[in-house]
Amino acid sequence: MVKIKIAKKSYTIPKEMLLLEALEYIKQHQDRSLTYRHMCRSGVCGSCAVKVNSKEVLACEYRLKEGDEVEPLSVVGVIRDLVTSKKEALESLKRASAYPLKMEEVEVTQDDITLIETQSDCILCTSCYSSCPVFEEKKEFLGPFALSRTYRYLADKREQEKKTHLEKVIKNGIWDCTLCGNCTEVCPQGIDPKGDILFLQSWAGRFGFINPSLGSFGSFGLEF
Amino acid sequence: MYDIVVIGSGGAGLTTALFAKELGKKVLVVTKQYPTEAQTCMAQGGINASLSPNDSIELHIQDTLNSSYQLADKEIVEKVCSSAPEVVKWLDRIGVPFNREGKNLALRKLGGASAPRACFAQDYTGLKILHTLFDNALKVGVEFLNEHFLLNLIVEDGQAKGVTLLDIKTSSVKEVLAKSVVLATGGFSKIYGKFSTNGYGAFGEGLSSALRAGAKLSDLEFVQFHPTSLKNSSILISEAARGAGGKIVDSSGKRFCDELATRDRLSREIYKKLEEGDKVFLDITHLGEEFLLSNLPQEIKLAHIYEGVDPLKEPIPIKPAAHYTIGGIDVDKELNTSIKSLYAVGECANTKFHGANRLGGNSLLEVIFFGKEAALKAGEEENVIKSGYEQLQRDEKFINALFNFPNKIDFWERGEFLSKVLYHNCGIIREEENLKGVLSLIRQQQRELKFMGLKDKSRVYNSELVRFLEYGNMLELSEALVISALSRKESRGAHFRKDYPNLKEEFSAHSVIFKKEDVLHLEFKKNGKD
């Protein structure tokens, strides 16, 4: 018997199992009101992300242990039990224009594809968004997955509008990240949004965009 | 009011929406979860297009026809296969990160193909195609309606006028009116429950709503079982593993079948072994860590998490599981269903491209090719839309009543039992007596339906309500499936009858099933006879 807590309610399941299996077991046999999202049960649809012991995981990939506490994702509003609104998080993609702007047919090799291979594995589970502390200070922040997706298109050899991509993520974007690395730690697909944000910052430098906080440091220095 | 309402946000639905938008149409995409939480993300192996110098469009056509056991429509197969290189080029142009070999797209060989033909993006092909389509949809401002579940089609005088939807967040019923309705709701293999590779939710509400509205469905008996799904969880291990040289072995480590045979044959061979009490494994250990980690990363991860095996070191236990429903809403060459202004596309449609068995890599091709066609067709629709259709009130009444159903019999337990019975009796090997048994079970459950109901009475995000509706659809579709399987007294492709083990010329036709005054009717129709 394994005792766990889900959305503040206590449950007992017969053995250690994957969290999604447990949710299904409980819903079928113990509590029809228990509410959660799920679809593919194999880690590719991104619908079942939740927090266990304060850390984001996919319910279909996490194996439960005695005493685990399961909660909904942070940042966005809870609708019921483990179901949160995903709308706001997904809108960050639009705000960042994290989509192809102008793709052209150019010669592409496997090395070019490898460069964006991991970023394009994103399943939009929004775990990184939930783990990001910047939202506590700044609601308008674009957040990790939108920025990783911007990098995925910017670094795509076929994309011609690289500068426009950067322009879209300057405000509320790449300079607001504290580089804490929570996003990288929780990504179930092994994506490194923190690293991608660093890459974006370096691209920004190449196009002459200046980090506003560093800029003020500059003038601060000159006064002395 | 919309020009086009698309139900479903997988590969077919998003492609339709993108092209509809390009045509300047007012289009809405309805999804029961969020746009990329569609089954297309689970497609792993690849998308077929004859691009290699050792391949030709003619060979792609031949392979597809051969695997269809004379049931595919030659004209359709020729049209789709000849357009395949253009389809892949379009996907590449809009940003899909296909793997490369030199300057060209890399190709892998899947079962039943006479040359390497499947373009791929690691073993995340469907995921990357779906997300690229979604990104492009965001770019052109496609409008989405999330978390709305399809209840019924609104049909008046034989013409579709829109749909009724359950708003999952509030349990209220809404109508969306449009000049044309495109169903892109995917397949229904989840009626096999734990014996299916599909995600939760693949219960085919598009098909059942079409059936209820009087539309014709066809070839439902052709359910494709995938030979290599994980033994415990039925999670799919891609055909790419066999294409790369994976071996299928029994418990003594001996090979017993041709790994690159078509899925129908392999599934039967494996199923027979399992029925004999033996175990079956997929062995990819000899392919080497470096190759596996760069080419089949997802398979490695899946085997680890869901089967607890390390495929780099040990063989993976497998079984065949329901994977893809070849049949669907019957459409003609122009994607017209038997209801005016109603179109169907993707797995929920039967375009006669696959025939009696589908080749790996042909379904992603189908959804993109026909997604575009659907937009072109549906965009031309002339339709006078009024207001005050009765369907909305009928469905509101039904949903409200549902909350007061007695709930003396648990639908969940019944559904689980039916899935198991379907797998063993209307699955890989079928025969008359057993099929009749399944049919009487389905009819018994249909009678019991009025004694079932909900335990959860909340109106907020009631996922039990959605499951109950899915169970209702399952009962409706299972009945049509079993009747189709009973009527086809022969064996062909994915449909194997122990009591009629041979292919019969007189059945070189499509089974067409429909409801007339609430009673199911079935007839056989040859290709080219509309």
Side-chain angles (χ1 to χ4, degrees), chain B residues 235-272:
Chain B
I235 285 169
L236 175 73
I237 295 296
S238 169
E239 195 158 307
R242 278 180 287 132
K247 291 187 252 180
I248 290 174
V249 297
D250 60 18
S251 49
S252 64
K254 256 207 329 247
R255 289 178 61 207
F256 60 93
C257 53
D258 168 15
E259 285 84 354
L260 284 177
T262 49
R263 292 177 179 177
D264 55 326
R265 288 187 190 180
L266 261 179
S267 288
R268 273 196 296 279
E269 301 254 0
I270 295 171
Y271 187 74
K272 279 183 201 157

mmCIF file of all heavy atoms in Angstrom, chain B residues 235-272:
data_model
loop_
_atom_site.group_PDB
_atom_site.id
_atom_site.type_symbol
_atom_site.label_atom_id
_atom_site.label_comp_id
_atom_site.label_asym_id
_atom_site.label_seq_id
_atom_site.Cartn_x
_atom_site.Cartn_y
_atom_site.Cartn_z
ATOM 1 N N ILE B 235 2.010 0.540 -25.387
ATOM 2 C CA ILE B 235 2.591 1.732 -26.000
ATOM 3 C C ILE B 235 3.424 1.316 -27.210
ATOM 4 O O ILE B 235 4.120 0.307 -27.194
ATOM 5 C CB ILE B 235 3.406 2.537 -24.959
ATOM 6 C CG1 ILE B 235 2.415 3.274 -24.047
ATOM 7 C CG2 ILE B 235 4.367 3.523 -25.617
ATOM 8 C CD1 ILE B 235 3.020 3.895 -22.831
ATOM 9 N N LEU B 236 3.286 2.109 -28.258
ATOM 10 C CA LEU B 236 3.872 1.751 -29.544
ATOM 11 C C LEU B 236 5.397 1.848 -29.577
ATOM 12 O O LEU B 236 5.975 2.812 -29.099
ATOM 13 C CB LEU B 236 3.301 2.701 -30.609
ATOM 14 C CG LEU B 236 3.883 2.577 -32.004
ATOM 15 C CD1 LEU B 236 3.378 1.311 -32.669
ATOM 16 C CD2 LEU B 236 3.507 3.790 -32.838
ATOM 17 N N ILE B 237 6.013 0.806 -30.157
ATOM 18 C CA ILE B 237 7.422 0.912 -30.521
ATOM 19 C C ILE B 237 7.438 0.986 -32.046
ATOM 20 O O ILE B 237 6.923 0.108 -32.736
ATOM 21 C CB ILE B 237 8.228 -0.298 -30.018
ATOM 22 C CG1 ILE B 237 8.239 -0.325 -28.476
ATOM 23 C CG2 ILE B 237 9.662 -0.273 -30.551
ATOM 24 C CD1 ILE B 237 8.933 0.844 -27.804
ATOM 25 N N SER B 238 8.022 2.055 -32.565
ATOM 26 C CA SER B 238 7.895 2.373 -33.987
ATOM 27 C C SER B 238 8.414 1.268 -34.902
ATOM 28 O O SER B 238 9.368 0.556 -34.596
ATOM 29 C CB SER B 238 8.662 3.652 -34.290
ATOM 30 O OG SER B 238 8.761 3.834 -35.669
ATOM 31 N N GLU B 239 7.772 1.213 -36.070
ATOM 32 C CA GLU B 239 8.221 0.310 -37.118
ATOM 33 C C GLU B 239 9.645 0.657 -37.559
ATOM 34 O O GLU B 239 10.353 -0.173 -38.130
ATOM 35 C CB GLU B 239 7.266 0.480 -38.314
ATOM 36 C CG GLU B 239 7.364 -0.595 -39.334
ATOM 37 C CD GLU B 239 6.078 -0.672 -40.151
ATOM 38 O OE1 GLU B 239 5.002 -0.776 -39.548
ATOM 39 O OE2 GLU B 239 6.162 -0.612 -41.376
ATOM 40 N N ALA B 240 10.061 1.874 -37.264
ATOM 41 C CA ALA B 240 11.425 2.288 -37.602
ATOM 42 C C ALA B 240 12.445 1.342 -36.975
ATOM 43 O O ALA B 240 13.519 1.105 -37.522
ATOM 44 C CB ALA B 240 11.663 3.716 -37.129
ATOM 45 N N ALA B 241 12.089 0.756 -35.810
ATOM 46 C CA ALA B 241 13.001 -0.168 -35.130
ATOM 47 C C ALA B 241 13.222 -1.417 -35.973
ATOM 48 O O ALA B 241 14.333 -1.949 -36.049
ATOM 49 C CB ALA B 241 12.441 -0.538 -33.756
ATOM 50 N N ARG B 242 12.151 -1.893 -36.623
ATOM 51 C CA ARG B 242 12.296 -3.053 -37.500
ATOM 52 C C ARG B 242 12.974 -2.651 -38.804
ATOM 53 O O ARG B 242 13.795 -3.380 -39.347
ATOM 54 C CB ARG B 242 10.936 -3.671 -37.803
ATOM 55 C CG ARG B 242 10.455 -4.591 -36.708
ATOM 56 C CD ARG B 242 9.115 -5.164 -37.068
ATOM 57 N NE ARG B 242 8.046 -4.176 -36.961
ATOM 58 C CZ ARG B 242 7.120 -3.952 -37.877
ATOM 59 N NH1 ARG B 242 7.116 -4.652 -38.989
ATOM 60 N NH2 ARG B 242 6.196 -3.055 -37.684
ATOM 61 N N GLY B 243 12.614 -1.446 -39.283
ATOM 62 C CA GLY B 243 13.215 -0.952 -40.520
ATOM 63 C C GLY B 243 14.731 -0.876 -40.404
ATOM 64 O O GLY B 243 15.474 -1.095 -41.361
ATOM 65 N N ALA B 244 15.201 -0.580 -39.197
ATOM 66 C CA ALA B 244 16.644 -0.436 -38.985
ATOM 67 C C ALA B 244 17.327 -1.788 -38.764
ATOM 68 O O ALA B 244 18.543 -1.849 -38.610
ATOM 69 C CB ALA B 244 16.883 0.473 -37.782
ATOM 70 N N GLY B 245 16.546 -2.856 -38.706
ATOM 71 C CA GLY B 245 17.144 -4.190 -38.548
ATOM 72 C C GLY B 245 16.759 -4.899 -37.262
ATOM 73 O O GLY B 245 17.340 -5.931 -36.923
ATOM 74 N N GLY B 246 15.786 -4.367 -36.534
ATOM 75 C CA GLY B 246 15.308 -5.021 -35.317
ATOM 76 C C GLY B 246 14.750 -6.405 -35.632
ATOM 77 O O GLY B 246 14.123 -6.607 -36.661
ATOM 78 N N LYS B 247 15.008 -7.359 -34.730
ATOM 79 C CA LYS B 247 14.547 -8.733 -34.965
ATOM 80 C C LYS B 247 13.389 -9.065 -34.035
ATOM 81 O O LYS B 247 13.353 -8.621 -32.891
ATOM 82 C CB LYS B 247 15.689 -9.714 -34.676
ATOM 83 C CG LYS B 247 16.826 -9.631 -35.688
ATOM 84 C CD LYS B 247 17.831 -10.729 -35.432
ATOM 85 C CE LYS B 247 19.098 -10.154 -34.855
ATOM 86 N NZ LYS B 247 20.149 -11.083 -34.552
ATOM 87 N N ILE B 248 12.475 -9.878 -34.541
ATOM 88 C CA ILE B 248 11.395 -10.353 -33.681
ATOM 89 C C ILE B 248 11.687 -11.806 -33.330
ATOM 90 O O ILE B 248 11.894 -12.636 -34.215
ATOM 91 C CB ILE B 248 10.031 -10.185 -34.377
ATOM 92 C CG1 ILE B 248 9.722 -8.689 -34.449
ATOM 93 C CG2 ILE B 248 8.941 -10.916 -33.614
ATOM 94 C CD1 ILE B 248 8.501 -8.337 -35.212
ATOM 95 N N VAL B 249 11.764 -12.077 -32.025
ATOM 96 C CA VAL B 249 12.173 -13.418 -31.585
ATOM 97 C C VAL B 249 11.208 -13.965 -30.530
ATOM 98 O O VAL B 249 10.470 -13.206 -29.894
ATOM 99 C CB VAL B 249 13.607 -13.393 -30.980
ATOM 100 C CG1 VAL B 249 14.633 -12.982 -32.026
ATOM 101 C CG2 VAL B 249 13.680 -12.466 -29.773
ATOM 102 N N ASP B 250 11.207 -15.304 -30.381
ATOM 103 C CA ASP B 250 10.384 -15.921 -29.337
ATOM 104 C C ASP B 250 11.217 -16.070 -28.053
ATOM 105 O O ASP B 250 12.353 -15.576 -27.984
ATOM 106 C CB ASP B 250 9.806 -17.260 -29.820
ATOM 107 C CG ASP B 250 10.898 -18.251 -30.190
ATOM 108 O OD1 ASP B 250 12.065 -18.057 -29.769
ATOM 109 O OD2 ASP B 250 10.594 -19.224 -30.905
ATOM 110 N N SER B 251 10.675 -16.782 -27.069
ATOM 111 C CA SER B 251 11.378 -16.821 -25.786
ATOM 112 C C SER B 251 12.696 -17.605 -25.853
ATOM 113 O O SER B 251 13.559 -17.430 -25.007
ATOM 114 C CB SER B 251 10.478 -17.385 -24.685
ATOM 115 O OG SER B 251 9.880 -18.570 -25.136
ATOM 116 N N SER B 252 12.854 -18.432 -26.905
ATOM 117 C CA SER B 252 14.141 -19.123 -27.035
ATOM 118 C C SER B 252 15.132 -18.285 -27.848
ATOM 119 O O SER B 252 16.233 -18.724 -28.148
ATOM 120 C CB SER B 252 13.945 -20.495 -27.682
ATOM 121 O OG SER B 252 13.459 -20.329 -28.997
ATOM 122 N N GLY B 253 14.698 -17.061 -28.223
ATOM 123 C CA GLY B 253 15.599 -16.179 -28.956
ATOM 124 C C GLY B 253 15.609 -16.447 -30.461
ATOM 125 O O GLY B 253 16.418 -15.870 -31.193
ATOM 126 N N LYS B 254 14.675 -17.301 -30.925
ATOM 127 C CA LYS B 254 14.633 -17.656 -32.357
ATOM 128 C C LYS B 254 13.713 -16.731 -33.137
ATOM 129 O O LYS B 254 12.625 -16.380 -32.690
ATOM 130 C CB LYS B 254 14.116 -19.101 -32.493
ATOM 131 C CG LYS B 254 15.228 -20.087 -32.797
ATOM 132 C CD LYS B 254 14.833 -21.337 -33.552
ATOM 133 C CE LYS B 254 13.462 -21.912 -33.371
ATOM 134 N NZ LYS B 254 13.398 -23.204 -32.727
ATOM 135 N N ARG B 255 14.172 -16.327 -34.330
ATOM 136 C CA ARG B 255 13.304 -15.550 -35.221
ATOM 137 C C ARG B 255 12.244 -16.482 -35.795
ATOM 138 O O ARG B 255 12.508 -17.651 -36.036
ATOM 139 C CB ARG B 255 14.120 -14.951 -36.357
ATOM 140 C CG ARG B 255 15.043 -13.832 -35.926
ATOM 141 C CD ARG B 255 15.850 -13.314 -37.111
ATOM 142 N NE ARG B 255 14.971 -12.784 -38.146
ATOM 143 C CZ ARG B 255 15.284 -12.751 -39.440
ATOM 144 N NH1 ARG B 255 16.438 -13.243 -39.848
ATOM 145 N NH2 ARG B 255 14.450 -12.245 -40.318
ATOM 146 N N PHE B 256 11.062 -15.967 -36.040
ATOM 147 C CA PHE B 256 10.017 -16.831 -36.603
ATOM 148 C C PHE B 256 9.177 -16.139 -37.664
ATOM 149 O O PHE B 256 8.186 -16.655 -38.138
ATOM 150 C CB PHE B 256 9.112 -17.372 -35.487
ATOM 151 C CG PHE B 256 8.405 -16.284 -34.705
ATOM 152 C CD1 PHE B 256 7.136 -15.874 -35.065
ATOM 153 C CD2 PHE B 256 9.029 -15.678 -33.623
ATOM 154 C CE1 PHE B 256 6.492 -14.861 -34.366
ATOM 155 C CE2 PHE B 256 8.385 -14.672 -32.913
ATOM 156 C CZ PHE B 256 7.120 -14.264 -33.276
ATOM 157 N N CYS B 257 9.564 -14.911 -38.049
ATOM 158 C CA CYS B 257 8.776 -14.225 -39.074
ATOM 159 C C CYS B 257 9.661 -13.227 -39.811
ATOM 160 O O CYS B 257 10.778 -12.940 -39.388
ATOM 161 C CB CYS B 257 7.605 -13.498 -38.427
ATOM 162 S SG CYS B 257 8.095 -12.403 -37.099
ATOM 163 N N ASP B 258 9.123 -12.700 -40.929
ATOM 164 C CA ASP B 258 9.838 -11.688 -41.690
ATOM 165 C C ASP B 258 9.495 -10.328 -41.084
ATOM 166 O O ASP B 258 8.362 -9.863 -41.180
ATOM 167 C CB ASP B 258 9.409 -11.764 -43.159
ATOM 168 C CG ASP B 258 9.900 -10.559 -43.958
ATOM 169 O OD1 ASP B 258 10.792 -9.834 -43.455
ATOM 170 O OD2 ASP B 258 9.381 -10.332 -45.069
ATOM 171 N N GLU B 259 10.483 -9.705 -40.458
ATOM 172 C CA GLU B 259 10.220 -8.472 -39.718
ATOM 173 C C GLU B 259 9.697 -7.341 -40.597
ATOM 174 O O GLU B 259 9.059 -6.424 -40.117
ATOM 175 C CB GLU B 259 11.486 -7.988 -38.989
ATOM 176 C CG GLU B 259 11.842 -8.786 -37.757
ATOM 177 C CD GLU B 259 12.643 -10.042 -38.071
ATOM 178 O OE1 GLU B 259 12.827 -10.351 -39.262
ATOM 179 O OE2 GLU B 259 13.080 -10.719 -37.117
ATOM 180 N N LEU B 260 9.999 -7.398 -41.881
ATOM 181 C CA LEU B 260 9.547 -6.292 -42.733
ATOM 182 C C LEU B 260 8.296 -6.647 -43.528
ATOM 183 O O LEU B 260 7.944 -5.973 -44.498
ATOM 184 C CB LEU B 260 10.680 -5.820 -43.654
ATOM 185 C CG LEU B 260 11.730 -4.965 -42.922
ATOM 186 C CD1 LEU B 260 12.866 -4.583 -43.840
ATOM 187 C CD2 LEU B 260 11.100 -3.718 -42.312
ATOM 188 N N ALA B 261 7.600 -7.685 -43.103
ATOM 189 C CA ALA B 261 6.304 -7.987 -43.710
ATOM 190 C C ALA B 261 5.325 -6.900 -43.291
ATOM 191 O O ALA B 261 5.607 -6.115 -42.382
ATOM 192 C CB ALA B 261 5.823 -9.346 -43.225
ATOM 193 N N THR B 262 4.159 -6.846 -43.955
ATOM 194 C CA THR B 262 3.175 -5.822 -43.597
ATOM 195 C C THR B 262 2.623 -6.103 -42.194
ATOM 196 O O THR B 262 2.716 -7.198 -41.674
ATOM 197 C CB THR B 262 2.025 -5.792 -44.632
ATOM 198 O OG1 THR B 262 1.568 -7.120 -44.832
ATOM 199 C CG2 THR B 262 2.502 -5.199 -45.936
ATOM 200 N N ARG B 263 2.011 -5.058 -41.607
ATOM 201 C CA ARG B 263 1.601 -5.124 -40.202
ATOM 202 C C ARG B 263 0.562 -6.209 -39.931
ATOM 203 O O ARG B 263 0.575 -6.838 -38.876
ATOM 204 C CB ARG B 263 1.040 -3.765 -39.779
ATOM 205 C CG ARG B 263 2.106 -2.707 -39.736
ATOM 206 C CD ARG B 263 1.532 -1.350 -39.398
ATOM 207 N NE ARG B 263 2.608 -0.366 -39.341
ATOM 208 C CZ ARG B 263 2.420 0.927 -39.125
ATOM 209 N NH1 ARG B 263 1.199 1.403 -38.962
ATOM 210 N NH2 ARG B 263 3.435 1.748 -39.084
ATOM 211 N N ASP B 264 -0.367 -6.427 -40.887
ATOM 212 C CA ASP B 264 -1.419 -7.415 -40.665
ATOM 213 C C ASP B 264 -0.827 -8.809 -40.477
ATOM 214 O O ASP B 264 -1.181 -9.548 -39.562
ATOM 215 C CB ASP B 264 -2.426 -7.388 -41.819
ATOM 216 C CG ASP B 264 -1.773 -7.580 -43.176
ATOM 217 O OD1 ASP B 264 -0.629 -7.120 -43.355
ATOM 218 O OD2 ASP B 264 -2.385 -8.202 -44.061
ATOM 219 N N ARG B 265 0.118 -9.164 -41.354
ATOM 220 C CA ARG B 265 0.708 -10.505 -41.281
ATOM 221 C C ARG B 265 1.510 -10.698 -40.014
ATOM 222 O O ARG B 265 1.387 -11.702 -39.320
ATOM 223 C CB ARG B 265 1.653 -10.718 -42.454
ATOM 224 C CG ARG B 265 0.912 -10.872 -43.746
ATOM 225 C CD ARG B 265 1.880 -11.243 -44.813
ATOM 226 N NE ARG B 265 1.204 -11.170 -46.088
ATOM 227 C CZ ARG B 265 1.781 -11.438 -47.239
ATOM 228 N NH1 ARG B 265 3.055 -11.784 -47.254
ATOM 229 N NH2 ARG B 265 1.106 -11.355 -48.347
ATOM 230 N N LEU B 266 2.350 -9.704 -39.733
ATOM 231 C CA LEU B 266 3.197 -9.806 -38.545
ATOM 232 C C LEU B 266 2.369 -9.905 -37.271
ATOM 233 O O LEU B 266 2.672 -10.702 -36.388
ATOM 234 C CB LEU B 266 4.073 -8.560 -38.448
ATOM 235 C CG LEU B 266 5.497 -8.691 -38.949
ATOM 236 C CD1 LEU B 266 6.203 -7.365 -38.800
ATOM 237 C CD2 LEU B 266 6.237 -9.762 -38.165
ATOM 238 N N SER B 267 1.325 -9.089 -37.194
ATOM 239 C CA SER B 267 0.484 -9.101 -35.999
ATOM 240 C C SER B 267 -0.111 -10.485 -35.789
ATOM 241 O O SER B 267 -0.164 -10.984 -34.666
ATOM 242 C CB SER B 267 -0.639 -8.074 -36.123
ATOM 243 O OG SER B 267 -0.101 -6.789 -35.994
ATOM 244 N N ARG B 268 -0.559 -11.118 -36.877
ATOM 245 C CA ARG B 268 -1.153 -12.453 -36.747
ATOM 246 C C ARG B 268 -0.118 -13.473 -36.269
ATOM 247 O O ARG B 268 -0.387 -14.275 -35.391
ATOM 248 C CB ARG B 268 -1.759 -12.900 -38.084
ATOM 249 C CG ARG B 268 -3.191 -12.420 -38.258
ATOM 250 C CD ARG B 268 -3.903 -13.163 -39.351
ATOM 251 N NE ARG B 268 -3.319 -12.945 -40.660
ATOM 252 C CZ ARG B 268 -3.548 -11.876 -41.423
ATOM 253 N NH1 ARG B 268 -4.350 -10.922 -40.991
ATOM 254 N NH2 ARG B 268 -2.995 -11.760 -42.602
ATOM 255 N N GLU B 269 1.072 -13.406 -36.872
ATOM 256 C CA GLU B 269 2.134 -14.353 -36.481
ATOM 257 C C GLU B 269 2.457 -14.211 -34.997
ATOM 258 O O GLU B 269 2.608 -15.186 -34.271
ATOM 259 C CB GLU B 269 3.413 -14.071 -37.279
ATOM 260 C CG GLU B 269 3.232 -14.184 -38.779
ATOM 261 C CD GLU B 269 3.856 -15.445 -39.332
ATOM 262 O OE1 GLU B 269 4.414 -16.208 -38.528
ATOM 263 O OE2 GLU B 269 3.761 -15.654 -40.554
ATOM 264 N N ILE B 270 2.565 -12.961 -34.543
ATOM 265 C CA ILE B 270 2.926 -12.721 -33.146
ATOM 266 C C ILE B 270 1.787 -13.142 -32.220
ATOM 267 O O ILE B 270 1.998 -13.788 -31.197
ATOM 268 C CB ILE B 270 3.304 -11.233 -32.934
ATOM 269 C CG1 ILE B 270 4.573 -10.906 -33.725
ATOM 270 C CG2 ILE B 270 3.490 -10.908 -31.459
ATOM 271 C CD1 ILE B 270 4.926 -9.437 -33.787
ATOM 272 N N TYR B 271 0.568 -12.799 -32.624
ATOM 273 C CA TYR B 271 -0.610 -13.141 -31.813
ATOM 274 C C TYR B 271 -0.708 -14.655 -31.634
ATOM 275 O O TYR B 271 -0.974 -15.155 -30.542
ATOM 276 C CB TYR B 271 -1.866 -12.597 -32.485
ATOM 277 C CG TYR B 271 -3.131 -12.726 -31.662
ATOM 278 C CD1 TYR B 271 -3.347 -11.900 -30.560
ATOM 279 C CD2 TYR B 271 -4.113 -13.661 -31.989
ATOM 280 C CE1 TYR B 271 -4.512 -12.001 -29.812
ATOM 281 C CE2 TYR B 271 -5.285 -13.768 -31.242
ATOM 282 C CZ TYR B 271 -5.477 -12.935 -30.160
ATOM 283 O OH TYR B 271 -6.631 -13.041 -29.417
ATOM 284 N N LYS B 272 -0.466 -15.399 -32.723
ATOM 285 C CA LYS B 272 -0.535 -16.865 -32.648
ATOM 286 C C LYS B 272 0.499 -17.398 -31.657
ATOM 287 O O LYS B 272 0.201 -18.263 -30.840
ATOM 288 C CB LYS B 272 -0.302 -17.483 -34.032
ATOM 289 C CG LYS B 272 -1.545 -17.461 -34.908
ATOM 290 C CD LYS B 272 -1.258 -18.145 -36.241
ATOM 291 C CE LYS B 272 -2.257 -17.710 -37.285
ATOM 292 N NZ LYS B 272 -1.742 -17.876 -38.652
#
